[in-house]
Amino acid sequence: MAQHNISIVATKVNNPVLSSKVAVIVHVLDVNEFPPELSIPYETFVCENSKTNQLIQTVSANDRDLPPAGQKFFFKLPPEATTKHNFTVYDYGNNTAGILTKRNGYSRRMQEIYFLPVVIEDSGYPVQSSTNTLTIRVCGCATDGTLLSCNVEAIFLPVGLSTGALIAILVCIIILLVIVVLYVGLRRQKRKETLMTSKEDIRDNVIHYDDEGGGEEDTHAFDMGTLRNPKVIKDNTFRRDVKPETETCPKPPISQESADIRDFIHQRLQENDINSSAPPYDSLATYAYEGDGSVAESLSSIESLATDADEDYDYLREWGPRFKTLAGIFEEYESHLEKTDKL
């Protein structure tokens, strides 16, 4: 209430009939105690492609002091903000002011948000003032100044691709990666199960052996006849691992034709021995040295067969059944030499 109405009545003490009434109006004078402030919280933005002295926002102020009509406000920048070359405040003189740019171009990568302090003073007594801060965001705009986006992540988005589309693409990529990881894991697990199954699986037609057998004497545990070709077995009934028991037939007398054939064979043998380019070609075989502790002793007797004809090979039977066949061969050869000497 700006005024108060008071009625004052004056009455004479010795004559109450004599009285008068006076109306008194008391005016309440307003004391300037509230500083002015911005009328509304402004959401201000500046385009990245802005030019110098471009208007980006118009602001106004209000004051809680009376009277609301006829008040005068002044807008300016504080002294510490005048040295910065980003924005400025222009007072229009009608209780409004404009926020202007002071340079060309702004970058969200360099700075996304600017804080601009604005000082507002009133015309009351005593003068009241306040500093209000405007938050100015740097946004991307079209060439005509239309706002496009004020988000920082929009800088890294391709042109024409929205945030929803980018999220959908990322979800698809994650799903594909999960599928690939699951596929690789299943393949590895399946391969591991296959290897384990091949070692542990025992079927009717697959048997895993881990022993070497007993050599020539071990003919009962493994039947080697199943590995031979049935057609060859029918054609040849003789076994190669057993000496055939055949009757010794007397050798026919050597005739003149036999002597000619023998001379022809010897001549061919000599020709082939002299010709180094004729097959069969010589080959080099390397044998491991057994050492002095070998039971078999030296094998030099094989090379000196022609000179050591009187050597006794009975010691081969002492080596065991495995050398029984070798001993029989040498005994047969000795008997053949004896018969030849007699002739």
Side-chain angles (χ1 to χ4, degrees):
M1 181 176 292
Q3 63 182 11
H4 297 275
N5 296 323
I6 301 175
S7 297
I8 299 175
V9 178
T11 303
K12 195 173 181 178
V13 177
N14 55 2
N15 190 3
V17 179
L18 299 176
S19 64
S20 63
K21 184 178 181 181
V22 178
V24 179
I25 300 175
V26 179
H27 294 276
V28 178
L29 298 178
D30 183 37
V31 178
N32 192 18
E33 54 184 347
F34 296 104
E37 56 188 11
L38 293 175
S39 56
I40 58 174
Y42 292 95
E43 295 182 359
T44 308
F45 70 91
V46 60
C47 295
E48 290 183 313
N49 54 357
S50 298
K51 304 298 181 182
T52 305
N53 294 327
Q54 181 177 346
L55 177 65
I56 61 173
Q57 184 69 57
T58 301
V59 296
S60 61
N62 57 11
D63 194 347
R64 289 181 292 173
D65 292 323
L66 295 178
Q71 292 180 345
K72 185 70 173 176
F73 302 112
F74 304 96
F75 300 88
K76 63 180 181 179
L77 289 177
E80 64 272 11
T82 56
T83 58
K84 298 182 180 180
H85 303 283
N86 295 319
F87 305 96
T88 185
V89 176
Y90 182 77
D91 191 352
Y92 293 123
N94 56 356
N95 294 341
T96 61
I99 309 300
L100 306 178
T101 59
K102 293 180 66 176
R103 60 187 177 89
N104 292 327
Y106 297 85
S107 176
R108 281 179 287 179
R109 296 182 180 179
M110 300 297 297
Q111 186 172 351
E112 180 189 6
I113 299 176
Y114 291 90
F115 297 99
L116 180 65
V118 179
V119 178
I120 306 175
E121 296 179 353
D122 59 11
S123 57
Y125 183 83
V127 177
Q128 297 289 340
S129 65
S130 65
T131 301
N132 300 262
T133 302
L134 278 177
T135 302
I136 304 175
R137 299 177 62 89
V138 180
C139 302
C141 304
T143 54
D144 57 351
T146 305
L147 178 63
L148 295 178
S149 176
C150 290
N151 298 327
V152 180
E153 57 268 16
I155 303 174
F156 305 98
L157 297 179
V159 178
L161 191 62
S162 62
T163 306
L166 179 63
I167 293 174
I169 293 173
L170 292 177
V171 170
C172 293
I173 293 174
I174 293 173
I175 292 174
L176 289 176
L177 291 176
V178 171
I179 292 174
V180 170
V181 171
L182 291 177
Y183 177 75
V184 173
L186 291 176
R187 285 290 299 275
R188 290 183 178 178
Q189 184 177 3
K190 184 176 180 181
R191 185 181 302 173
K192 184 177 181 181
E193 291 178 355
T194 304
L195 293 175
M196 294 299 294
T197 303
S198 63
K199 293 180 180 180
E200 299 176 359
D201 188 15
I202 299 177
R203 302 184 182 179
D204 295 339
N205 57 346
V206 178
I207 301 176
H208 298 279
Y209 293 100
D210 197 11
D211 52 353
E212 297 182 357
E216 295 180 359
E217 295 180 351
D218 189 5
T219 58
H220 300 287
F222 305 100
D223 186 9
M224 304 301 293
T226 57
L227 301 178
R228 296 193 180 96
N229 191 347
K231 184 178 179 181
V232 177
I233 294 174
K234 292 180 181 180
D235 296 342
N236 186 11
T237 57
F238 298 100
R239 294 184 60 181
R240 296 185 179 181
D241 56 344
V242 179
K243 181 180 178 181
E245 297 179 359
T246 55
E247 297 180 358
T248 57
C249 298
K251 295 183 179 180
I254 301 174
S255 62
Q256 184 65 29
E257 295 179 357
S258 300
D260 295 339
I261 294 174
R262 182 176 58 188
D263 295 339
F264 174 75
I265 292 175
H266 283 296
Q267 181 181 358
R268 289 298 184 186
L269 287 175
Q270 292 178 359
E271 291 178 358
N272 288 323
D273 290 339
I274 296 173
N275 188 6
S276 59
S277 61
Y281 304 102
D282 295 337
S283 61
L284 177 62
T286 304
Y287 299 94
Y289 178 68
E290 295 185 357
D292 296 335
S294 174
V295 181
E297 297 181 356
S298 176
L299 298 178
S300 61
S301 59
I302 298 177
E303 298 179 356
S304 60
L305 182 62
T307 58
D308 301 336
D310 297 335
E311 186 176 353
D312 187 9
Y313 295 98
D314 293 336
Y315 62 88
L316 294 176
R317 296 185 178 275
E318 298 176 359
W319 291 354
R322 296 185 179 180
F323 295 91
K324 182 179 180 181
T325 305
L326 182 61
I329 294 174
F330 280 105
E331 289 178 357
E332 182 182 356
Y333 181 74
E334 288 178 356
S335 62
H336 176 70
L337 291 178
E338 292 177 358
K339 291 179 181 181
T340 305
D341 295 338
K342 291 178 181 180
L343 293 176

